[in-house]
Amino acid sequence: MKGLWLEDRKMNFRTDLPMPELEPDEVLIKVLLAGVCSTDLEMMKGYYDFTGVPGHEFVGLVQDENGHPELLGKRVIGDINISCGECERCLNQETSQCMNRRTLGIFSYDGVFAEYSKLPARNLTVVPDSVSDVLAVFSEPTAAALRILDQIQVRPSDRVIVVGAGKLGLLIAQAFKNTGCDLNVVVRRAEPAAILTGWGIRAVYPEEVKGQLADIVVEVTGSPEGFKLSRALTRARGSLVLKSTFAGDVSVNLSKLVVDEITLVGSRCGNYPAGLHALSSGLIQVGEMVDSIFSLDQGLEAIERAGQPGVLKVLIRP
Amino acid sequence: MKGLWLEDRKMNFRTDLPMPELEPDEVLIKVLLAGVCSTDLEMMKGYYDFTGVPGHEFVGLVQDENGHPELLGKRVIGDINISCGECERCLNQETSQCMNRRTLGIFSYDGVFAEYSKLPARNLTVVPDSVSDVLAVFSEPTAAALRILDQIQVRPSDRVIVVGAGKLGLLIAQAFKNTGCDLNVVVRRAEPAAILTGWGIRAVYPEEVKGQLADIVVEVTGSPEGFKLSRALTRARGSLVLKSTFAGDVSVNLSKLVVDEITLVGSRCGNYPAGLHALSSGLIQVGEMVDSIFSLDQGLEAIERAGQPGVLKVLIRP
């Protein structure tokens, strides 16, 4: 089959990939639409040393139900964490943090930038007919954005600053907007500022927030500089949510975290049905965020395009 | 008056210090007993650039009540944060995080390694007659230890590892013991191990916890190495409480915090009456922790002694 292949940090287009081999409980999925995430790009910079088919944002059609007839022909989205079901985290219902997990298109499991992919049946959520492919493909990052609200309580009286208005930042901004908090989103470009304004969300440039202090700050720039700005904007006893993954360490003044009693919250994957629901109900909008849709044959161009500064969501349609 | 004086990171003994000058609301305190904290030692390494009388752990006698007759002649302990009462944090009842605060013996306010000190009357808590000076002088670090339980919920089913068994670590260990959690305290020496064992708390050496994962880890070593070990011991979705302040930054893999969804909690001062109550009621014991008591004339020897590896609480009696 056709698909992208990451090896030695280099992305290749191949036409000779083997079809996914199904283990018990896994179903075969024909990929309808896939989304390029910053993590895919960071893997090419060495964030993870992954060899295989990349890509983890998708909506697809169940082609081989492998013992799960209720799924045959259904349109599905899926949890990217392939869990063991036996470790302490799994037994504690925290399967996304399974200690033996494989991760779709990121770690030890081929992903969705290909004609076909696979996932365990338990990972899948059926997409209602009323939800378009373009909407459904945002389920994974939308769930990740909503995950923050699982972790911290956001009050309508809270001042919140989201630092970064890329693909994930725009989803997070909408998640916070829905809480009724006092929200500012730090942008560096006019395009996301215009999108945010269109959604009724205040967009500000870094110099405009200088000296401000927020109760909750979300770092979603994917850069050490973004962390430094975010830290400076967090009030004493405030919460700083870390949402971006990138290669390399950052130098942190831990004593200042102690003195200011900051809570740093690492935040990863969310609940997929909740993400799908926020999209299908219109709580989170994504139409403005789609930059372009490439065919799988143009997959390398899609990756190239997604890596350009300021480019929002690039989709691949196999 | 006599006292210690910190200037250019150097500790001096002086006999020509002026008596504290009282501003409105401040009362004059004759220091009965003072404790040396690691923060005092870290200031000599450049953690803070403070010039003045150091020292912030004390029990004293109110000598000049300055309009607060109910305090005259009372034995008191005191909140080390001198707050403005007007900033956002003060108005939010978070006076220990006052944005304009001065800090007893640490920042812009002379401390207690002297014959006399002062504090605003509102900072003071009267010590019951039944509580000895030696017990009362531990109120500040005990409050700081208990502060963790203000910030995070500790469940009896939680596995907790306290990394570091110095002065503060031993108090924190007791605070956690009282929650009924599954507790291990990482030590590097036989002496604190023996004290912990005497209290019925499990002491373990670093090599014994290798590969373990705890729900809650408290870093109280005051070193970058201690942070690295603590981080490694924190399970995915666990909490890592930072309790020590020391000079210098630490290199942190923020992406790993995101992927593991760790919550980092900076923790500083606690509630002083709560600290005093834990001591007076016997919930927290300190008798085993007193290394030595020096006179103020021997103040420099006291500081020297407190800086020796493995030495627990050194007290100064003016």
Side-chain angles (χ1 to χ4, degrees):
Chain A
M1 67 173 183
K2 293 191 283 192
L4 298 185
W5 183 261
L6 183 65
E7 189 165 354
D8 294 333
R9 301 188 186 180
K10 212 177 143 11
M11 199 72 82
N12 305 286
F13 176 75
R14 286 172 57 171
T15 56
D16 62 343
L17 293 173
M19 284 289 283
E21 277 181 38
L22 302 185
E23 293 170 42
D25 247 0
E26 288 180 336
V27 303
L28 183 71
I29 298 162
K30 179 173 159 51
V31 180
L32 295 172
L33 199 58
V36 182
C37 167
S38 296
T39 301
D40 302 320
L41 306 171
E42 283 296 322
M43 287 197 300
M44 296 166 67
K45 298 178 194 165
Y47 163 61
Y48 261 136
D49 190 17
F50 174 65
T51 299
V53 177
H56 57 274
E57 299 179 0
F58 78 98
V59 55
L61 212 58
V62 175
Q63 193 99 351
D64 181 344
E65 40 83 11
N66 196 17
H68 295 272
E70 75 284 4
L71 288 173
L72 185 61
K74 297 288 188 195
R75 242 175 2 131
V76 292
I77 57 156
D79 185 333
I80 70 174
N81 302 288
I82 297 93
S83 57
C84 72
E86 293 172 2
C87 74
E88 194 178 272
R89 296 273 66 74
C90 284
L91 296 178
N92 205 33
Q93 307 295 328
E94 301 173 297
T95 53
S96 75
Q97 289 289 352
C98 166
M99 298 163 84
N100 308 307
R101 73 178 177 273
R102 294 168 290 166
T103 310
L104 184 70
I106 296 177
F107 180 70
S108 285
Y109 204 94
D110 281 335
V112 298
F113 294 158
E115 290 179 273
Y116 295 91
S117 190
K118 65 173 187 174
L119 271 178
R122 67 178 179 280
N123 282 43
L124 303 179
T125 300
V126 174
V127 179
D129 291 340
S130 59
V131 177
S132 70
D133 286 351
V134 169
L135 214 51
V137 80
F138 279 88
S139 297
E140 196 276 338
T142 301
L146 293 171
R147 169 71 182 142
I148 300 172
L149 307 185
D150 283 341
Q151 296 176 283
I152 60 168
Q153 187 185 3
V154 183
R155 299 169 178 84
S157 60
D158 280 332
R159 293 159 309 178
V160 176
I161 301 179
V162 174
V163 180
K167 299 179 279 291
L168 187 53
L170 289 173
L171 296 171
I172 292 169
Q174 294 182 79
F176 274 96
K177 185 204 169 194
N178 293 335
T179 69
C181 68
D182 175 15
L183 177 63
N184 282 294
V185 179
V186 178
V187 300
R188 287 192 304 177
R189 296 167 190 281
E191 296 84 344
I195 294 174
L196 288 162
T197 305
W199 290 337
I201 296 172
R202 207 178 306 125
V204 292
Y205 287 87
E207 56 273 21
E208 293 179 79
V209 288
K210 212 180 162 187
Q212 285 188 23
L213 289 173
D215 303 295
I216 298 167
V217 178
V218 182
E219 196 292 304
V220 66
T221 66
S223 73
E225 296 69 34
F227 174 76
K228 287 193 178 66
L229 173 62
S230 300
R231 173 63 190 84
L233 294 173
T234 311
R235 75 157 169 96
R237 293 200 180 168
S239 293
L240 170 45
V241 180
L242 303 180
K243 202 66 208 184
S244 47
T245 49
F246 50 88
D249 292 359
V250 176
S251 180
V252 181
N253 186 330
L254 294 180
S255 297
K256 194 85 171 69
L257 291 183
V258 170
V259 170
D260 290 347
E261 297 193 299
I262 302 296
T263 298
L264 229 68
V265 181
S267 177
R268 189 173 162 262
C269 294
N271 179 281
Y272 294 76
L276 182 61
H277 174 258
L279 291 161
S280 67
S281 63
L283 280 171
I284 301 246
Q285 297 170 50
V286 298
E288 299 83 346
M289 289 175 58
V290 176
D291 174 84
S292 46
I293 304 183
F294 288 80
S295 71
L296 186 55
D297 292 346
Q298 298 169 299
L300 293 179
E301 287 95 316
I303 299 293
E304 160 90 32
R305 172 76 193 159
Q308 298 301 312
V311 167
L312 292 175
K313 187 60 76 183
V314 172
L315 300 175
I316 298 176
R317 184 176 278 144
Chain B
M1 66 172 185
K2 294 192 283 193
L4 298 186
W5 185 260
L6 183 65
E7 189 167 353
D8 293 333
R9 301 188 185 181
K10 211 176 143 13
M11 199 72 82
N12 305 286
F13 176 74
R14 287 173 55 172
T15 57
D16 62 344
L17 293 174
M19 286 287 284
E21 276 180 38
L22 302 186
E23 293 170 42
D25 248 1
E26 288 180 336
V27 303
L28 184 70
I29 298 163
K30 181 173 157 52
V31 179
L32 294 172
L33 198 59
V36 182
C37 167
S38 296
T39 301
D40 303 320
L41 306 170
E42 283 295 323
M43 287 197 299
M44 296 167 66
K45 297 179 194 163
Y47 163 60
Y48 261 136
D49 190 16
F50 174 64
T51 299
V53 177
H56 58 273
E57 299 180 0
F58 79 98
V59 54
L61 212 57
V62 174
Q63 193 99 347
D64 181 344
E65 41 82 8
N66 196 16
H68 295 274
E70 74 284 5
L71 288 172
L72 186 61
K74 298 288 189 195
R75 241 176 2 132
V76 293
I77 57 155
D79 185 333
I80 71 173
N81 301 287
I82 297 94
S83 56
C84 72
E86 293 171 2
C87 73
E88 194 179 273
R89 295 274 66 72
C90 284
L91 297 177
N92 205 31
Q93 307 295 330
E94 300 174 298
T95 54
S96 76
Q97 289 290 352
C98 166
M99 298 163 86
N100 308 306
R101 73 178 176 273
R102 295 168 290 166
T103 311
L104 184 71
I106 296 177
F107 180 69
S108 285
Y109 203 92
D110 281 335
V112 298
F113 294 160
E115 290 178 272
Y116 295 90
S117 189
K118 64 172 188 175
L119 271 178
R122 66 178 179 280
N123 282 42
L124 303 179
T125 300
V126 173
V127 179
D129 291 340
S130 60
V131 178
S132 71
D133 287 350
V134 169
L135 213 52
V137 79
F138 278 89
S139 296
E140 196 275 338
T142 301
L146 293 171
R147 169 71 182 143
I148 300 171
L149 307 185
D150 283 340
Q151 297 177 283
I152 60 169
Q153 187 185 3
V154 183
R155 299 170 178 83
S157 59
D158 280 332
R159 292 159 309 178
V160 176
I161 301 179
V162 175
V163 180
K167 299 179 279 292
L168 187 53
L170 289 173
L171 296 172
I172 292 169
Q174 292 182 80
F176 274 97
K177 185 203 170 194
N178 293 335
T179 70
C181 68
D182 176 14
L183 178 63
N184 282 294
V185 180
V186 177
V187 300
R188 286 191 304 177
R189 297 167 188 280
E191 296 85 345
I195 294 175
L196 288 163
T197 305
W199 291 336
I201 296 171
R202 206 179 306 124
V204 292
Y205 287 86
E207 56 272 21
E208 294 179 79
V209 288
K210 212 180 160 186
Q212 284 189 23
L213 289 173
D215 304 295
I216 297 167
V217 178
V218 182
E219 196 292 303
V220 66
T221 66
S223 73
E225 296 69 35
F227 174 78
K228 287 193 177 65
L229 174 60
S230 300
R231 173 64 190 85
L233 294 173
T234 311
R235 75 158 169 95
R237 292 200 181 169
S239 294
L240 170 45
V241 180
L242 303 180
K243 202 65 207 185
S244 48
T245 49
F246 51 88
D249 293 358
V250 176
S251 179
V252 181
N253 186 330
L254 294 181
S255 297
K256 193 86 170 69
L257 291 182
V258 171
V259 169
D260 290 348
E261 296 193 299
I262 302 296
T263 298
L264 230 66
V265 181
S267 176
R268 191 174 161 259
C269 294
N271 179 281
Y272 293 77
L276 183 61
H277 173 257
L279 291 161
S280 66
S281 64
L283 278 171
I284 300 247
Q285 297 170 50
V286 297
E288 299 83 346
M289 289 175 58
V290 177
D291 173 84
S292 45
I293 304 183
F294 289 79
S295 71
L296 186 55
D297 291 347
Q298 298 169 301
L300 293 181
E301 287 96 315
I303 299 292
E304 160 90 34
R305 171 77 191 158
Q308 297 301 312
V311 167
L312 293 175
K313 187 60 76 183
V314 172
L315 300 175
I316 299 176
R317 182 176 279 142

